Coordinates of all heavy atoms in Angstrom, one line a residue:
L1031 N 39.0 20.0 30.2 CA 38.0 20.3 31.2 C 38.5 21.3 32.2 O 37.7 22.3 32.5 CB 37.8 18.9 31.9 CG 36.6 18.8 32.8 CD1 35.3 19.1 32.0 CD2 36.4 17.4 33.4
L1032 N 39.7 21.2 32.6 CA 40.2 22.2 33.6 C 40.5 23.5 32.9 O 40.3 24.6 33.6 CB 41.5 21.6 34.2 CG 41.3 20.5 35.2 CD1 42.7 20.0 35.6 CD2 40.5 20.9 36.4
R1033 N 40.9 23.4 31.7 CA 41.0 24.7 30.9 C 39.7 25.5 30.8 O 39.7 26.7 31.0 CB 41.6 24.4 29.5 CG 42.1 25.5 28.8 CD 42.9 25.2 27.5 NE 42.5 24.0 26.8 CZ 43.3 22.9 26.7 NH1 44.4 22.8 27.2 NH2 42.8 21.9 26.0
Q1034 N 38.6 24.8 30.5 CA 37.3 25.4 30.4 C 36.9 25.9 31.8 O 36.2 26.9 31.9 CB 36.3 24.4 29.9 CG 36.5 24.1 28.5 CD 36.4 25.3 27.6 OE1 37.4 25.9 27.2 NE2 35.2 25.7 27.2
S1035 N 37.2 25.2 32.8 CA 36.9 25.6 34.3 C 37.6 26.9 34.6 O 37.0 27.8 35.1 CB 37.3 24.5 35.2 OG 37.1 25.0 36.6
N1036 N 38.9 27.0 34.2 CA 39.7 28.3 34.4 C 39.0 29.4 33.6 O 39.0 30.5 34.1 CB 41.1 28.0 34.1 CG 41.8 27.1 35.1 OD1 41.3 27.0 36.2 ND2 42.8 26.4 34.6
K1037 N 38.6 29.1 32.4 CA 38.0 30.1 31.5 C 36.7 30.6 32.2 O 36.5 31.9 32.3 CB 37.7 29.6 30.2 CG 37.3 30.7 29.2 CD 36.9 30.1 27.8 CE 38.1 29.6 27.1 NZ 37.8 29.2 25.8
A1038 N 35.9 29.7 32.7 CA 34.7 30.1 33.4 C 35.0 31.0 34.6 O 34.2 32.0 34.9 CB 33.9 28.9 33.9
Q1039 N 36.0 30.6 35.4 CA 36.4 31.4 36.5 C 36.8 32.8 36.1 O 36.4 33.8 36.7 CB 37.5 30.7 37.3 CG 37.8 31.4 38.6 CD 38.8 30.6 39.4 OE1 39.4 29.6 39.0 NE2 38.9 31.0 40.7
E1040 N 37.6 32.9 35.0 CA 38.0 34.2 34.5 C 36.8 35.1 34.1 O 36.8 36.3 34.2 CB 38.9 34.1 33.3 CG 40.3 33.6 33.7 CD 41.0 33.2 32.4 OE1 40.6 33.5 31.2 OE2 42.1 32.6 32.6
L1041 N 35.7 34.4 33.7 CA 34.5 35.1 33.3 C 33.5 35.4 34.5 O 32.4 35.8 34.3 CB 33.7 34.4 32.2 CG 34.5 34.3 30.9 CD1 33.8 33.3 29.9 CD2 34.6 35.7 30.2
G1042 N 34.0 35.1 35.7 CA 33.2 35.4 36.9 C 32.4 34.3 37.6 O 31.6 34.5 38.4
I1043 N 32.7 33.0 37.0 CA 32.0 31.9 37.7 C 33.0 31.2 38.6 O 33.9 30.5 38.1 CB 31.4 30.9 36.7 CG1 30.5 31.6 35.7 CG2 30.8 29.7 37.3 CD1 30.1 30.8 34.5
P1044 N 32.9 31.4 39.9 CA 33.9 30.9 40.8 C 33.8 29.3 40.8 O 32.7 28.7 40.5 CB 33.4 31.4 42.2 CG 32.0 31.7 42.0 CD 31.7 32.1 40.7
K1045 N 34.9 28.7 41.1 CA 35.0 27.3 41.1 C 34.1 26.6 42.0 O 33.6 25.4 41.8 CB 36.5 26.8 41.4 CG 37.4 27.1 40.2 CD 38.8 26.4 40.4 CE 39.6 26.9 39.3 NZ 39.8 25.9 38.3
C1046 N 33.7 27.3 43.1 CA 32.8 26.7 44.1 C 31.4 26.5 43.5 O 30.5 25.8 44.1 CB 32.7 27.5 45.4 SG 32.1 29.2 45.2
L1047 N 31.1 27.2 42.4 CA 29.8 27.0 41.7 C 29.8 26.1 40.5 O 28.8 26.0 39.8 CB 29.3 28.4 41.3 CG 28.9 29.3 42.5 CD1 28.4 30.6 41.9 CD2 27.9 28.7 43.4
Q1048 N 31.0 25.6 40.2 CA 31.2 24.7 39.0 C 31.1 23.2 39.4 O 31.5 22.9 40.5 CB 32.5 25.0 38.4 CG 32.7 26.4 37.9 CD 34.1 26.6 37.3 OE1 34.6 25.6 36.6 NE2 34.6 27.8 37.4
V1049 N 30.6 22.5 38.4 CA 30.5 21.1 38.5 C 31.1 20.5 37.2 O 30.7 20.9 36.1 CB 29.1 20.4 38.6 CG1 29.1 18.9 38.6 CG2 28.5 20.9 39.9
L1050 N 32.2 19.7 37.3 CA 32.9 19.3 36.1 C 32.3 18.0 35.6 O 32.2 17.0 36.4 CB 34.4 19.1 36.4 CG 35.1 20.3 36.9 CD1 36.5 20.0 37.2 CD2 35.0 21.5 35.9
D1051 N 32.0 17.9 34.4 CA 31.3 16.7 33.7 C 32.1 16.3 32.5 O 32.1 17.1 31.5 CB 29.9 17.1 33.4 CG 29.1 15.9 32.7 OD1 29.8 14.8 32.5 OD2 27.9 16.0 32.6
P1052 N 32.9 15.2 32.6 CA 33.7 14.9 31.4 C 32.9 14.3 30.3 O 33.3 14.0 29.2 CB 34.6 13.8 32.0 CG 33.9 13.2 33.1 CD 33.1 14.4 33.7
G1053 N 31.5 14.2 30.4 CA 30.6 13.8 29.4 C 30.7 12.3 29.0 O 30.8 12.1 27.8
I1054 N 30.7 11.5 29.9 CA 30.7 10.1 29.6 C 29.6 9.8 28.6 O 28.4 10.1 28.9 CB 30.7 9.2 30.8 CG1 31.1 7.7 30.5 CG2 29.3 9.3 31.6 CD1 31.4 6.9 31.7
G1055 N 29.9 9.0 27.5 CA 28.9 8.7 26.6 C 28.8 9.7 25.4 O 28.1 9.4 24.4
F1056 N 29.3 10.9 25.6 CA 29.1 12.0 24.5 C 30.4 12.1 23.8 O 31.4 12.5 24.3 CB 28.7 13.3 25.2 CG 27.3 13.2 25.8 CD1 27.2 12.9 27.2 CD2 26.2 13.3 25.0 CE1 25.9 12.8 27.7 CE2 24.9 13.2 25.6 CZ 24.8 13.0 27.0
A1057 N 30.3 11.9 22.4 CA 31.5 12.0 21.5 C 32.6 11.1 21.9 O 33.8 11.5 21.8 CB 31.9 13.4 21.4
K1058 N 32.3 10.0 22.6 CA 33.3 9.0 23.0 C 32.9 7.7 22.5 O 31.7 7.3 22.5 CB 33.5 9.0 24.5 CG 34.0 10.3 25.1 CD 33.9 10.2 26.6 CE 34.4 11.6 27.1 NZ 33.5 12.7 26.7
D1059 N 33.9 6.8 22.1 CA 33.5 5.4 21.8 C 33.5 4.6 22.9 O 33.9 5.0 24.1 CB 34.4 4.9 20.6 CG 35.9 4.8 21.0 OD1 36.2 4.7 22.2 OD2 36.7 4.8 20.1
H1060 N 33.3 3.3 22.8 CA 33.2 2.3 23.9 C 34.5 2.3 24.6 O 34.5 2.4 25.9 CB 32.9 0.9 23.2 CG 33.0 -0.2 24.2 ND1 31.9 -0.5 25.1 CD2 33.9 -1.1 24.5 CE1 32.2 -1.5 25.8 NE2 33.4 -1.9 25.5
D1061 N 35.6 2.3 24.0 CA 36.9 2.2 24.8 C 37.2 3.5 25.5 O 37.7 3.5 26.6 CB 38.1 1.9 23.8 CG 38.0 0.5 23.3 OD1 37.4 -0.4 23.9 OD2 38.6 0.2 22.2
D1062 N 36.8 4.6 25.0 CA 36.9 5.9 25.7 C 36.2 6.0 27.0 O 36.6 6.4 28.0 CB 36.5 7.1 24.7 CG 37.5 7.4 23.5 OD1 38.6 6.9 23.6 OD2 36.9 7.9 22.5
N1063 N 35.0 5.5 26.9 CA 34.1 5.5 28.1 C 34.7 4.6 29.1 O 34.7 5.0 30.3 CB 32.7 5.0 27.7 CG 31.9 6.1 26.9 OD1 31.9 7.2 27.3 ND2 31.3 5.7 25.8
L1064 N 35.1 3.4 28.8 CA 35.7 2.5 29.7 C 37.0 3.1 30.3 O 37.2 2.9 31.5 CB 36.0 1.1 29.1 CG 34.8 0.3 28.7 CD1 35.2 -1.0 28.1 CD2 33.9 0.1 29.9
S1065 N 37.8 3.7 29.5 CA 39.0 4.4 30.0 C 38.6 5.4 31.0 O 39.3 5.6 32.0 CB 39.8 4.9 28.8 OG 41.0 5.6 29.2
L1066 N 37.7 6.2 30.7 CA 37.3 7.3 31.7 C 36.8 6.7 33.0 O 37.3 7.2 34.0 CB 36.1 8.1 31.0 CG 35.6 9.2 31.8 CD1 36.6 10.2 32.2 CD2 34.4 10.0 31.1
L1067 N 36.1 5.6 32.9 CA 35.8 5.0 34.3 C 36.9 4.4 34.9 O 37.1 4.5 36.1 CB 34.7 3.9 33.9 CG 33.3 4.2 33.7 CD1 32.5 3.1 33.4 CD2 32.7 5.1 34.8
K1068 N 37.8 3.7 34.1 CA 39.0 3.2 34.7 C 39.9 4.2 35.4 O 40.5 3.9 36.4 CB 39.8 2.4 33.7 CG 41.0 1.7 34.2 CD 41.7 0.9 33.1 CE 42.9 0.2 33.6 NZ 43.6 -0.6 32.5
H1069 N 40.0 5.4 34.8 CA 40.9 6.3 35.3 C 40.2 7.5 36.0 O 40.9 8.6 36.1 CB 41.8 6.8 34.2 CG 42.6 5.8 33.5 ND1 43.8 5.2 34.1 CD2 42.4 5.2 32.3 CE1 44.2 4.3 33.3 NE2 43.5 4.2 32.2
C1070 N 39.0 7.3 36.4 CA 38.3 8.3 37.1 C 39.0 8.8 38.3 O 39.0 10.0 38.6 CB 36.9 7.8 37.5 SG 35.8 9.0 38.2
H1071 N 39.8 7.9 39.1 CA 40.4 8.4 40.2 C 41.6 9.4 39.8 O 41.8 10.3 40.6 CB 41.0 7.2 41.0 CG 42.0 6.4 40.2 ND1 41.6 5.5 39.2 CD2 43.3 6.4 40.2 CE1 42.7 5.0 38.8 NE2 43.8 5.5 39.3
D1072 N 42.2 9.2 38.7 CA 43.2 10.2 38.3 C 42.5 11.6 38.0 O 43.1 12.6 38.3 CB 43.8 9.7 36.9 CG 44.6 8.5 37.2 OD1 45.2 8.2 38.3 OD2 44.8 7.7 36.2
L1073 N 41.3 11.5 37.4 CA 40.7 12.8 37.1 C 40.3 13.5 38.5 O 40.5 14.6 38.6 CB 39.3 12.5 36.2 CG 38.6 13.7 35.9 CD1 39.4 14.7 35.1 CD2 37.4 13.3 35.0
R1074 N 39.8 12.7 39.4 CA 39.4 13.1 40.7 C 40.7 13.8 41.3 O 40.6 14.9 41.9 CB 39.0 12.0 41.6 CG 38.9 12.2 43.1 CD 38.1 13.3 43.6 NE 36.8 13.5 43.1 CZ 36.3 14.7 42.8 NH1 37.1 15.9 43.2 NH2 35.1 15.0 42.4
D1075 N 41.9 13.2 41.2 CA 43.1 13.8 41.8 C 43.4 15.2 41.1 O 43.8 16.1 41.8 CB 44.2 12.9 41.6 CG 44.1 11.6 42.5 OD1 43.3 11.7 43.5 OD2 44.9 10.6 42.3
R1076 N 43.2 15.3 39.8 CA 43.5 16.5 39.1 C 42.6 17.6 39.4 O 43.0 18.8 39.4 CB 43.6 16.2 37.6 CG 44.7 15.2 37.3 CD 44.8 15.0 35.8 NE 45.3 16.2 35.1 CZ 45.3 16.3 33.8 NH1 44.7 15.3 33.0 NH2 45.7 17.4 33.3
V1077 N 41.3 17.3 39.6 CA 40.3 18.4 39.9 C 40.2 18.8 41.3 O 39.5 19.9 41.7 CB 38.9 18.1 39.3 CG1 39.0 17.8 37.8 CG2 38.3 17.0 40.1
G1078 N 40.9 18.2 42.2 CA 40.9 18.5 43.6 C 39.5 18.4 44.2 O 38.8 17.4 44.1
D1079 N 39.1 19.4 44.9 CA 37.8 19.4 45.6 C 36.7 19.8 44.8 O 35.6 20.0 45.3 CB 38.0 20.2 46.9 CG 38.3 21.6 46.7 OD1 38.5 22.0 45.6 OD2 38.2 22.4 47.7
M1080 N 36.8 20.1 43.5 CA 35.7 20.5 42.7 C 34.8 19.3 42.4 O 35.2 18.2 42.3 CB 36.2 21.0 41.3 CG 36.9 22.3 41.4 SD 37.4 23.0 39.8 CE 35.8 23.4 39.2
P1081 N 33.5 19.5 42.4 CA 32.5 18.4 42.2 C 32.7 17.8 40.9 O 33.0 18.5 39.8 CB 31.2 19.1 42.3 CG 31.4 20.3 43.1 CD 32.8 20.7 42.7
L1082 N 32.7 16.5 40.7 CA 32.8 15.8 39.5 C 31.6 15.0 39.2 O 31.2 14.2 40.1 CB 34.1 14.9 39.6 CG 34.5 14.1 38.4 CD1 34.9 15.1 37.2 CD2 35.7 13.2 38.7
L1083 N 31.0 15.1 38.1 CA 29.7 14.5 37.7 C 30.1 13.5 36.6 O 30.5 13.8 35.5 CB 28.7 15.5 37.2 CG 27.4 15.0 36.6 CD1 26.5 14.4 37.7 CD2 26.7 16.1 35.9
L1084 N 29.6 12.2 36.9 CA 29.7 11.2 35.8 C 28.2 10.6 35.8 O 27.7 10.2 36.8 CB 30.6 10.0 36.2 CG 32.1 10.3 36.2 CD1 32.9 9.2 36.7 CD2 32.5 10.7 34.8
G1085 N 27.7 10.7 34.6 CA 26.3 10.2 34.3 C 26.3 9.0 33.3 O 25.9 9.3 32.2
P1086 N 26.6 7.8 33.8 CA 26.6 6.7 32.9 C 25.2 6.1 32.7 O 25.1 5.2 31.9 CB 27.5 5.7 33.6 CG 27.2 6.0 35.1 CD 27.1 7.5 35.1
S1087 N 24.2 6.7 33.2 CA 22.8 6.1 33.2 C 22.4 5.6 31.8 O 22.2 6.3 30.9 CB 21.9 7.2 33.6 OG 20.6 6.7 33.7
R1088 N 22.3 4.3 31.7 CA 21.8 3.6 30.6 C 22.4 3.8 29.2 O 21.9 3.6 28.2 CB 20.2 3.9 30.4 CG 19.5 3.5 31.7 CD 18.0 3.9 31.4 NE 17.1 3.4 32.6 CZ 15.8 3.6 32.6 NH1 15.3 4.3 31.6 NH2 15.2 3.2 33.7
K1089 N 23.7 4.3 29.4 CA 24.4 4.6 28.1 C 24.7 3.3 27.3 O 24.6 2.2 27.7 CB 25.7 5.3 28.4 CG 25.6 6.6 29.1 CD 25.1 7.7 28.2 CE 25.2 9.1 28.7 NZ 24.7 9.5 29.9
R1090 N 24.9 3.6 26.0 CA 25.2 2.5 25.0 C 26.3 1.6 25.4 O 26.3 0.4 25.2 CB 25.4 3.1 23.6 CG 25.5 2.0 22.5 CD 25.8 2.7 21.2 NE 25.0 3.8 21.0 CZ 24.2 4.0 20.0 NH1 24.1 3.1 19.0 NH2 23.5 5.1 19.9
F1091 N 27.4 2.2 25.9 CA 28.5 1.3 26.3 C 28.1 0.3 27.3 O 28.7 -0.8 27.4 CB 29.8 2.2 26.7 CG 29.7 2.7 28.1 CD1 30.4 2.0 29.1 CD2 29.0 3.9 28.4 CE1 30.3 2.5 30.5 CE2 29.1 4.4 29.7 CZ 29.8 3.7 30.7
I1092 N 27.2 0.7 28.2 CA 26.7 -0.3 29.2 C 26.0 -1.5 28.5 O 26.1 -2.6 28.8 CB 25.8 0.4 30.2 CG1 26.6 1.3 31.1 CG2 25.1 -0.7 31.1 CD1 25.9 2.2 32.0
G1093 N 25.1 -1.1 27.5 CA 24.5 -2.1 26.7 C 25.4 -3.0 25.9 O 25.2 -4.2 25.7
T1094 N 26.5 -2.4 25.4 CA 27.6 -3.2 24.7 C 28.2 -4.2 25.6 O 28.4 -5.4 25.3 CB 28.6 -2.2 24.1 OG1 28.0 -1.4 23.2 CG2 29.7 -3.1 23.4
I1095 N 28.5 -3.8 26.8 CA 29.1 -4.8 27.8 C 28.1 -5.8 28.3 O 28.5 -7.0 28.3 CB 29.6 -4.0 29.1 CG1 30.8 -3.0 28.7 CG2 30.0 -4.9 30.2 CD1 31.1 -2.0 29.7
S1096 N 26.9 -5.4 28.5 CA 25.9 -6.3 29.1 C 25.1 -7.1 28.1 O 24.5 -8.1 28.4 CB 25.0 -5.6 30.0 OG 24.1 -4.7 29.1
G1097 N 25.2 -6.7 26.8 CA 24.5 -7.3 25.8 C 23.0 -6.9 25.7 O 22.2 -7.6 25.1
E1098 N 22.7 -5.8 26.5 CA 21.2 -5.4 26.6 C 21.0 -4.3 25.6 O 21.6 -3.2 25.8 CB 21.0 -4.9 28.0 CG 19.5 -4.5 28.3 CD 18.6 -5.6 28.0 OE1 18.6 -6.7 28.6 OE2 17.9 -5.4 27.0
D1099 N 20.2 -4.5 24.6 CA 19.8 -3.5 23.6 C 18.9 -2.4 24.1 O 19.0 -1.3 23.8 CB 19.3 -4.2 22.4 CG 20.3 -5.0 21.6 OD1 21.5 -4.6 21.7 OD2 19.9 -6.0 21.0
D1100 N 18.0 -2.8 25.0 CA 16.9 -1.9 25.5 C 17.5 -1.1 26.6 O 17.8 -1.6 27.8 CB 15.8 -2.8 26.0 CG 14.6 -1.9 26.4 OD1 14.7 -0.6 26.4 OD2 13.5 -2.5 26.8
A1101 N 17.6 0.2 26.4 CA 18.2 1.1 27.5 C 17.4 1.0 28.8 O 18.0 1.2 29.8 CB 18.2 2.5 26.9
K1102 N 16.1 0.7 28.7 CA 15.3 0.7 30.0 C 15.8 -0.5 30.9 O 15.4 -0.6 32.0 CB 13.8 0.5 29.6 CG 13.3 1.8 29.0 CD 11.9 1.5 28.6 CE 11.4 2.7 27.8 NZ 10.0 2.5 27.3
E1103 N 16.5 -1.5 30.3 CA 16.9 -2.6 31.0 C 18.4 -2.6 31.4 O 19.0 -3.6 31.8 CB 16.7 -3.9 30.1 CG 15.2 -4.1 29.7 CD 14.3 -4.4 30.9 OE1 14.8 -4.9 32.0 OE2 13.1 -3.9 30.9
R1104 N 19.0 -1.4 31.4 CA 20.4 -1.2 31.8 C 20.6 -0.7 33.2 O 21.7 -0.2 33.4 CB 21.1 -0.3 30.7 CG 21.1 -0.9 29.3 CD 21.7 0.0 28.4 NE 21.5 -0.4 27.0 CZ 21.7 0.4 26.0 NH1 21.9 1.7 26.1 NH2 21.4 -0.1 24.8
D1105 N 19.6 -0.7 34.0 CA 19.8 -0.2 35.4 C 20.9 -0.8 36.2 O 21.7 -0.2 36.8 CB 18.5 -0.3 36.1 CG 17.4 0.7 35.6 OD1 17.8 1.6 34.9 OD2 16.3 0.5 35.9
F1106 N 21.0 -2.2 36.1 CA 22.1 -2.9 36.8 C 23.4 -2.5 36.3 O 24.4 -2.3 37.1 CB 21.8 -4.4 36.8 CG 20.7 -4.9 37.6 CD1 19.6 -5.5 37.0 CD2 20.6 -4.7 39.0 CE1 18.5 -5.9 37.7 CE2 19.5 -5.1 39.7 CZ 18.4 -5.7 39.1
G1107 N 23.6 -2.4 35.0 CA 24.8 -2.0 34.4 C 25.2 -0.5 34.8 O 26.3 -0.2 35.1
T1108 N 24.1 0.4 34.9 CA 24.4 1.7 35.4 C 24.9 1.7 36.9 O 25.8 2.4 37.2 CB 23.0 2.6 35.3 OG1 22.6 2.6 33.9 CG2 23.2 3.9 35.9
L1109 N 24.2 0.9 37.6 CA 24.7 0.8 39.1 C 26.1 0.4 39.1 O 26.9 1.0 39.8 CB 23.8 -0.2 39.8 CG 24.2 -0.4 41.2 CD1 24.0 0.9 42.0 CD2 23.2 -1.5 41.9
A1110 N 26.5 -0.6 38.4 CA 27.9 -1.2 38.3 C 28.8 0.0 37.9 O 29.9 0.1 38.5 CB 28.0 -2.3 37.4
A1111 N 28.5 0.8 36.9 CA 29.3 1.9 36.4 C 29.5 2.9 37.5 O 30.6 3.5 37.7 CB 28.8 2.5 35.2
C1112 N 28.5 3.1 38.3 CA 28.5 4.1 39.3 C 29.4 3.8 40.5 O 29.9 4.6 41.1 CB 27.1 4.5 39.8 SG 26.1 5.4 38.7
I1113 N 29.5 2.5 40.7 CA 30.3 2.1 42.0 C 31.7 1.6 41.6 O 32.4 1.1 42.4 CB 29.6 1.1 42.8 CG1 29.2 -0.2 42.0 CG2 28.3 1.7 43.4 CD1 28.6 -1.3 42.9
A1114 N 31.9 1.6 40.2 CA 33.2 1.1 39.7 C 34.4 1.9 40.3 O 34.3 3.1 40.6 CB 33.2 1.1 38.2

């Protein structure tokens, strides 16, 4: 993630215009997503003052934890992931 950020900066996109998104839910399994949430503070420390975006909204891993198959019914799980 930081390597891509540095590459973007080399191509003229200053860090102040970048938002880092580790892609929760994308190309990650259940355990990867939970690990990302658990260690989010470590990622925050590594990126410094750059904005960090986590979009857990209604993702499948929330459904797995909550037992809710219908993504429309995962709002409470999304809220929990956001404040974790």
Side-chain angles (χ1 to χ4, degrees):
L1031 193 60
L1032 291 174
R1033 195 170 30 246
Q1034 291 299 97
S1035 172
N1036 290 334
K1037 187 184 290 186
Q1039 188 172 12
E1040 290 171 8
L1041 294 171
I1043 302 170
K1045 289 191 184 258
C1046 66
L1047 294 180
Q1048 296 180 36
V1049 176
L1050 302 180
D1051 182 354
I1054 194 164
F1056 294 96
K1058 293 171 185 63
D1059 64 21
H1060 176 77
D1061 291 336
D1062 292 336
N1063 288 310
L1064 292 180
S1065 180
L1066 181 57
L1067 286 175
K1068 181 179 180 181
H1069 299 287
C1070 186
H1071 63 280
D1072 294 331
L1073 183 57
R1074 162 59 41 221
D1075 290 343
R1076 293 182 71 191
V1077 301
D1079 61 353
M1080 292 184 69
L1082 184 61
L1083 173 69
L1084 289 175
S1087 181
R1088 300 179 177 179
K1089 296 288 192 306
R1090 183 183 319 236
F1091 79 96
I1092 293 172
T1094 300
I1095 293 168
S1096 66
E1098 183 56 67
D1099 292 331
D1100 185 356
K1102 294 176 185 173
E1103 300 299 325
R1104 297 180 188 160
D1105 290 342
F1106 289 115
T1108 296
L1109 179 62
C1112 288
I1113 61 174

